[in-house]
Amino acid sequence: MPRNAKRDQMVKEERRRQILQAATSVFYHKGLAAVKMSDVATEAGLSYGHVYNHFSSKQELLASIVLEGQEAYRRFLLQAIESPGDAVSKLQRIIDQLFIHSNTAKTYWIVLQAQASDILPEDVKGEIKARMLHNLDLFSRIIIQGQEEGRFAAGDAKEITTIVITLLHNSGLWEIRGLESPKQPILTYILKLVSL
Amino acid sequence: MPRNAKRDQMVKEERRRQILQAATSVFYHKGLAAVKMSDVATEAGLSYGHVYNHFSSKQELLASIVLEGQEAYRRFLLQAIESPGDAVSKLQRIIDQLFIHSNTAKTYWIVLQAQASDILPEDVKGEIKARMLHNLDLFSRIIIQGQEEGRFAAGDAKEITTIVITLLHNSGLWEIRGLESPKQPILTYILKLVSL
Amino acid sequence: MPRNAKRDQMVKEERRRQILQAATSVFYHKGLAAVKMSDVATEAGLSYGHVYNHFSSKQELLASIVLEGQEAYRRFLLQAIESPGDAVSKLQRIIDQLFIHSNTAKTYWIVLQAQASDILPEDVKGEIKARMLHNLDLFSRIIIQGQEEGRFAAGDAKEITTIVITLLHNSGLWEIRGLESPKQPILTYILKLVSL
Amino acid sequence: MPRNAKRDQMVKEERRRQILQAATSVFYHKGLAAVKMSDVATEAGLSYGHVYNHFSSKQELLASIVLEGQEAYRRFLLQAIESPGDAVSKLQRIIDQLFIHSNTAKTYWIVLQAQASDILPEDVKGEIKARMLHNLDLFSRIIIQGQEEGRFAAGDAKEITTIVITLLHNSGLWEIRGLESPKQPILTYILKLVSL
DNA sequence: TATGAATGAGAATTCATTCAT
DNA sequence: CATGAATGAATTCTCATTCAT
């Protein structure tokens, strides 16, 4: 009996998401170095062979995590930028959301490693870099807005953004390193950096 | 003239340093994931079998890089702390030195990955963490000094130190990611963070 | 009008033939090595799971192609032998028919590979060999007839037959190898071989 | 202690030949379909991992067998062509040699399968075909010589050569198929084919 | 029946490590 | 000590086969 094509499609999408989710978690916690496809499968609750029905290789899986993660981050930033409010409240919203969408935070670390390692081919790494710069550019609009509002210090917006992002995402990394999370909200430190 | 035995000893030490240096570079640029022992040997200009005359395994090689790197960092910090001058000038000196001893910067990234990965056994990772906390503690003395001098804002010195270090070492990472180095000296940003 | 059960039966037979036909083509063109069950299914225009409703395994599918192919060849030879005419006209008829029933030519190549490979179990390979020898024997009757008619040279009929068959079927193989088909009719060459 | 570089080189060449030899035998007997790298290694008396020190993949191993086999065949033909004597004696010499250099005979069957299968990439298959046509061309010089000597029938030399080669090499194949080798020398049949 | 998602045995391949020279 | 050939455990990846829908 033929099955319901539409439902099949949805289940398939769901499986893909499930694997991507599991893989993100595993790559984040073990580092690109140590991840086996079977780890990913186990985390996702599937057989390892099945992962290959969705991603043709480990490399493609990693590339998908990174590129789709960057895409999600882009949408995430756009939403923050387009929401009403001043630069400070936008920063606040980004930080809050980042704690909720923990995948986005995890992806930062994975992207960092992927860019530094030889695991992905050069062309994919080029694409990743391009998207990173694009997202940096998006983020910098908030800094520029703050400067225009007279709340943030003048200076190269891209450079300031780079530092803000570094701070923002690394605080998530402290956890892996066994450091305590900051007691003061990270926004406090960021504001010190950008304020007049 | 020293006896052969002594000179042999020195040659051996030199070889060891040579391998460690090569390995640090390779681990930094390719990521722990992608490094083969033969890459290390090639970079060091030695046959790969030879590496095993100095390090009994890849694991030991990595552990040596990390632990000896942390030890070097410790000495480096002690020197900075014990040198004369106020906190700001000590920070300045640390930053300057860090650009010169590029290995220290590279090691930071390797430590980060090693701690996240499964490559090293738990006990070694514990040792690494202990040394990291120890070095953090050392560094925080400079922050505390700055607070006592009335130049730095009050607050949890460890936490502030963590953020300062994060910033300091990540700026070295921008290079791998294809970002430009900051045009403004990184000290400027750090001072914004810690100042009153 | 036939009952559903009967029509179902016919549909099933038709499906089986369809798969066998597709499989023959795929095995011939890709080589036993490279054929996946999904290739067969795709070629037959069916889902790959469906193939298992007709053949319980790849092995059985291959065995069916070979054994049924040999059976068809046997019937084909019998018909040629029993048809009226002298040996030469029988050979002519066989050659003509062979070009029409291209499956027979393809099967020859598949049989050749199957016998050399490990894919089929020994007992099946034994059965195949027995049928091959039986068909060789049938074919040799035509050679013997020619010898009795005084048109063909004397000599071991089986051996001559082997050579004739080799020539006959290999000419079909030239196509895969990218060689042109012979301009002179292959019969010309065969007659040279067998004639006085 | 450094080893003797020259001797090392020779040993390495020898190993390569050893693997190629073993692989040829295994591919010949089992068919491309069924050969595992471990079969090759076992046949060569080496560990399977070691095969990869000489051939980076199964594909490359197969390609090497075929291309080097064709190269050997080319030299073999050149020698036969350039040797003194009439066309018939050259054919005789080729046949005799073929029984001695059994690898050359085996390679024919491997080439046949490689050309028909999808195992090798198109560009390699193209190269194989080009070499096959080149060798066919070389062989045809002997046929042409025979025609010029007035011993062989006129006709398209390439086409006649194709048929002669088919006969020549297939007789080696009878063995795998479980047929007896011809009692009459194969040259007898070939001469029938080409003679006036 | 028909479909293709899911499984896992098995083959290919990699690479740390050993060891004869 | 120095070298790189040789080994095989560990992984990636393929694909025949099963089975829920």
Side-chain angles (χ1 to χ4, degrees):
Chain A
M1 213 184 326
R3 283 165 302 175
N4 183 319
K6 196 149 128 198
R7 217 179 81 108
D8 274 14
Q9 188 55 32
M10 284 181 61
V11 169
K12 189 160 186 173
E13 301 260 311
E14 171 51 24
R15 279 282 172 283
R16 192 190 148 88
R17 206 186 324 285
Q18 184 184 345
I19 293 169
L20 236 25
Q21 165 71 52
T24 301
S25 176
V26 173
F27 275 119
Y28 177 71
H29 286 293
K30 306 186 92 166
L32 307 198
V35 175
K36 290 177 269 176
M37 285 301 255
S38 60
D39 293 331
V40 173
T42 303
E43 176 78 16
L46 299 167
S47 71
Y48 60 89
H50 190 45
V51 175
Y52 286 90
N53 291 334
H54 294 269
F55 300 92
S56 66
S57 69
K58 188 175 168 179
Q59 207 173 86
E60 197 205 306
L61 174 58
L62 179 56
S64 297
I65 288 174
V66 170
L67 294 172
E68 294 181 25
Q70 290 185 304
E71 174 60 17
Y73 191 53
R74 190 182 67 79
R75 287 197 306 269
F76 169 77
L77 284 178
L78 271 180
Q79 211 168 31
I81 289 165
E82 286 163 1
S83 68
D86 61 10
V88 173
S89 65
K90 286 180 182 180
L91 282 179
Q92 179 63 62
R93 204 166 303 131
I94 287 177
I95 293 168
D96 293 347
Q97 292 284 312
L98 233 37
F99 274 93
I100 297 168
H101 301 303
S102 75
N103 252 24
T104 306
K106 285 176 183 166
T107 304
Y108 178 81
W109 175 230
I110 296 172
V111 172
L112 213 58
Q113 286 184 78
Q115 276 191 287
S117 82
D118 267 9
I119 299 181
L120 296 176
E122 279 309 318
D123 56 342
V124 175
K125 284 176 40 170
E127 174 72 12
I128 292 172
K129 185 180 164 186
R131 293 190 187 210
M132 178 195 70
L133 292 175
H134 177 74
N135 286 341
L136 187 71
D137 195 56
L138 282 184
F139 202 118
S140 73
R141 293 198 206 163
I142 297 174
I143 300 302
I144 291 170
Q145 180 185 349
Q147 292 173 326
E148 288 169 349
E149 286 166 3
R151 292 285 307 275
F152 294 176
D156 185 324
K158 290 269 179 62
E159 184 168 316
I160 294 169
T161 305
T162 304
I163 292 178
V164 168
I165 290 178
T166 297
L167 223 47
L168 193 56
H169 289 106
N170 269 281
S171 66
L173 245 47
W174 295 346
E175 172 206 333
I176 327 184
R177 305 179 61 200
L179 295 171
E180 297 165 39
S181 297
K183 281 173 234 102
Q184 287 222 48
I186 192 73
L187 182 60
T188 313
Y189 294 103
I190 289 177
L191 288 182
K192 282 195 171 202
L193 258 178
V194 297
S195 292
L196 290 170
Chain B
M1 204 177 326
R3 293 227 232 99
N4 270 355
K6 192 164 168 188
R7 213 184 49 196
D8 281 4
Q9 186 54 32
M10 284 181 62
V11 168
K12 184 158 185 175
E13 288 281 313
E14 174 49 25
R15 278 273 180 286
R16 192 188 147 88
R17 205 185 325 285
Q18 184 183 349
I19 294 169
L20 234 25
Q21 167 66 49
T24 301
S25 176
V26 173
F27 276 123
Y28 176 71
H29 287 294
K30 307 187 89 165
L32 307 197
V35 174
K36 293 179 261 179
M37 284 299 259
S38 61
D39 292 331
V40 173
T42 302
E43 176 79 15
L46 300 168
S47 72
Y48 60 89
H50 193 144
V51 175
Y52 286 88
N53 291 330
H54 297 272
F55 300 91
S56 68
S57 71
K58 186 177 173 178
Q59 207 174 85
E60 197 205 308
L61 175 57
L62 178 57
S64 298
I65 289 173
V66 170
L67 294 172
E68 294 182 23
Q70 289 184 306
E71 174 59 18
Y73 191 51
R74 190 182 68 79
R75 287 196 306 269
F76 168 77
L77 283 179
L78 271 180
Q79 210 169 30
I81 289 164
E82 287 163 1
S83 67
D86 61 9
V88 173
S89 65
K90 285 180 182 179
L91 281 179
Q92 179 64 61
R93 204 167 304 133
I94 286 176
I95 292 168
D96 293 346
Q97 293 285 312
L98 233 37
F99 274 92
I100 296 168
H101 300 304
S102 73
N103 253 24
T104 307
K106 286 177 183 167
T107 305
Y108 176 81
W109 177 230
I110 295 171
V111 172
L112 215 57
Q113 287 183 79
Q115 274 195 283
S117 86
D118 271 8
I119 299 182
L120 297 176
E122 280 309 319
D123 56 343
V124 175
K125 295 211 301 196
E127 173 72 12
I128 292 171
K129 185 178 165 188
R131 292 190 186 210
M132 178 193 71
L133 292 175
H134 176 73
N135 285 341
L136 186 71
D137 196 56
L138 283 183
F139 202 117
S140 73
R141 292 199 207 161
I142 297 174
I143 301 300
I144 291 169
Q145 181 185 348
Q147 291 174 326
E148 287 170 349
E149 286 166 4
R151 291 285 306 275
F152 294 175
D156 184 323
K158 290 270 180 62
E159 184 168 317
I160 294 169
T161 304
T162 304
I163 291 178
V164 168
I165 290 178
T166 297
L167 219 48
L168 196 55
H169 289 107
N170 268 281
S171 66
L173 243 49
W174 295 344
E175 171 208 334
I176 327 185
R177 306 182 64 198
L179 295 170
E180 297 165 39
S181 297
K183 280 175 234 99
Q184 289 222 46
I186 191 73
L187 181 61
T188 314
Y189 294 103
I190 289 177
L191 289 181
K192 281 195 170 205
L193 262 176
V194 297
S195 292
L196 289 171
Chain C
M1 200 173 333
R3 292 225 236 101
N4 271 354
K6 194 164 168 189
R7 215 185 46 195
D8 282 3
Q9 185 55 32
M10 284 179 62
V11 168
K12 183 158 185 175
E13 288 282 314
E14 173 51 24
R15 278 274 180 286
R16 190 188 149 89
R17 205 184 325 285
Q18 184 183 348
I19 293 169
L20 235 26
Q21 168 65 50
T24 301
S25 175
V26 173
F27 276 123
Y28 176 70
H29 286 293
K30 307 186 88 165
L32 307 198
V35 175
K36 292 178 262 178
M37 285 299 259
S38 62
D39 293 330
V40 174
T42 302
E43 177 78 15
L46 299 168
S47 73
Y48 60 89
H50 193 124
V51 176
Y52 286 88
N53 291 330
H54 297 271
F55 300 92
S56 67
S57 70
K58 186 176 172 179
Q59 204 173 90
E60 196 206 308
L61 175 58
L62 178 57
S64 297
I65 288 173
V66 170
L67 294 172
E68 294 182 24
Q70 289 185 306
E71 175 59 19
Y73 191 53
R74 191 183 66 79
R75 287 197 306 270
F76 167 79
L77 284 178
L78 271 180
Q79 210 169 31
I81 290 165
E82 288 162 0
S83 67
D86 61 9
V88 173
S89 65
K90 285 181 183 179
L91 279 180
Q92 179 66 62
R93 204 167 304 131
I94 285 176
I95 292 168
D96 292 346
Q97 293 285 312
L98 234 36
F99 275 92
I100 296 166
H101 301 304
S102 73
N103 253 22
T104 306
K106 286 177 183 167
T107 305
Y108 176 81
W109 176 230
I110 295 171
V111 172
L112 215 56
Q113 287 182 77
Q115 274 194 283
S117 87
D118 272 6
I119 300 182
L120 297 176
E122 280 309 318
D123 56 342
V124 175
K125 296 212 302 196
E127 173 71 12
I128 292 170
K129 184 178 167 187
R131 292 190 187 210
M132 179 192 71
L133 292 175
H134 176 72
N135 285 341
L136 186 71
D137 196 57
L138 283 184
F139 201 118
S140 73
R141 293 200 207 160
I142 297 173
I143 301 300
I144 291 169
Q145 181 185 346
Q147 291 173 327
E148 288 169 350
E149 286 165 4
R151 292 282 308 276
F152 294 175
D156 183 324
K158 288 271 179 60
E159 184 168 316
I160 294 169
T161 305
T162 304
I163 290 178
V164 169
I165 289 178
T166 296
L167 217 49
L168 196 54
H169 289 107
N170 269 279
S171 67
L173 244 47
W174 295 344
E175 172 209 333
I176 327 186
R177 307 182 63 199
L179 295 170
E180 295 165 41
S181 296
K183 280 176 233 93
Q184 289 220 49
I186 192 74
L187 182 60
T188 315
Y189 294 104
I190 289 177
L191 289 181
K192 284 196 168 204
L193 263 177
V194 297
S195 293
L196 290 170
Chain D
M1 213 182 327
R3 283 164 302 176
N4 183 320
K6 196 149 132 198
R7 217 179 81 108
D8 274 14
Q9 188 54 31
M10 285 182 61
V11 169
K12 187 160 186 173
E13 300 259 312
E14 172 52 24
R15 280 281 173 283
R16 191 190 149 89
R17 207 185 325 285
Q18 183 183 348
I19 293 169
L20 236 26
Q21 166 70 52
T24 301
S25 175
V26 174
F27 276 121
Y28 177 71
H29 287 293
K30 307 186 90 165
L32 307 200
V35 175
K36 290 178 268 175
M37 285 300 256
S38 61
D39 293 331
V40 173
T42 303
E43 176 78 17
L46 298 168
S47 71
Y48 59 89
H50 190 46
V51 176
Y52 287 91
N53 291 333
H54 294 269
F55 301 92
S56 67
S57 69
K58 188 175 169 179
Q59 208 173 84
E60 197 205 306
L61 175 58
L62 178 57
S64 297
I65 288 174
V66 170
L67 294 172
E68 294 181 24
Q70 289 184 304
E71 174 59 19
Y73 191 54
R74 191 182 67 80
R75 287 196 306 270
F76 169 79
L77 284 179
L78 270 181
Q79 210 167 32
I81 289 166
E82 287 163 1
S83 66
D86 62 8
V88 173
S89 65
K90 286 181 182 179
L91 282 179
Q92 180 64 63
R93 203 167 305 130
I94 286 176
I95 293 168
D96 292 345
Q97 293 285 311
L98 234 36
F99 275 92
I100 297 168
H101 301 303
S102 75
N103 252 23
T104 305
K106 286 177 183 167
T107 305
Y108 178 81
W109 174 229
I110 296 172
V111 172
L112 213 58
Q113 286 184 79
Q115 275 191 287
S117 83
D118 266 10
I119 298 182
L120 295 176
E122 278 311 317
D123 56 341
V124 175
K125 283 173 45 169
E127 174 72 13
I128 293 171
K129 185 179 165 186
R131 293 189 186 210
M132 177 195 71
L133 292 175
H134 177 74
N135 286 341
L136 186 71
D137 195 56
L138 283 183
F139 202 117
S140 73
R141 293 199 206 161
I142 297 173
I143 300 301
I144 291 170
Q145 181 186 347
Q147 291 174 327
E148 289 169 349
E149 286 165 4
R151 293 282 306 275
F152 294 175
D156 184 323
K158 290 270 179 61
E159 183 168 317
I160 295 170
T161 305
T162 304
I163 292 177
V164 168
I165 289 178
T166 296
L167 224 46
L168 192 56
H169 289 108
N170 270 280
S171 65
L173 245 47
W174 295 345
E175 171 205 333
I176 326 185
R177 305 180 60 201
L179 295 170
E180 297 164 40
S181 295
K183 280 173 236 99
Q184 288 221 47
I186 191 74
L187 183 60
T188 315
Y189 294 104
I190 288 176
L191 288 181
K192 283 196 170 202
L193 213 49
V194 297
S195 292
L196 291 170

